[in-house]
Amino acid sequence: MGIEQARYSVIEKQGNFEIRQYQPCIVAETIVESDFDNAGNKAFRRLFNYISGQNHKKQSIAMTAPVDQKIIQKRFL
């Protein structure tokens, strides 16, 4: 069983670098307030539960690659 990937076309390629045009898709995202060591695990578990059917419609959603994570720093004034 392979990993399903979002559909895309390669616009330009140079060596190991590609510029891609992705087809429209549905994205699930969450924000987790936690230290770095725990945030990825908490966010993944929350999203995995959601796409596995723990959502309002009780329907599962296909998980595709890539999965992306980024740090958003809080700024205090």
Side-chain angles (χ1 to χ4, degrees):
M1 180 172 137
I3 297 173
E4 186 176 346
Q5 295 187 358
R7 294 183 181 158
Y8 64 88
S9 301
V10 176
I11 304 300
E12 185 176 335
K13 183 173 183 172
Q14 291 184 352
N16 294 336
F17 183 81
E18 291 182 343
I19 297 175
R20 297 176 175 180
Q21 175 76 43
Y22 282 88
Q23 292 186 6
C25 60
I26 296 171
V27 176
E29 65 182 11
T30 188
I31 296 173
V32 176
E33 292 190 30
S34 183
D35 60 77
F36 181 78
D37 293 334
N38 293 316
N41 201 18
K42 287 180 180 181
F44 181 83
R45 177 60 44 201
R46 186 181 295 166
L47 290 171
F48 181 80
N49 289 339
Y50 182 84
I51 67 172
S52 296
Q54 294 179 29
N55 54 55
H56 292 293
K57 292 186 176 183
K58 305 290 187 229
Q59 294 178 345
S60 61
I61 303 165
M63 183 189 317
T64 61
V67 174
D68 186 31
Q69 295 182 27
K70 61 182 152 186
I71 297 171
I72 300 173
Q73 303 247 344
K74 279 190 173 180
R75 296 180 189 227
F76 297 97
L77 299 175

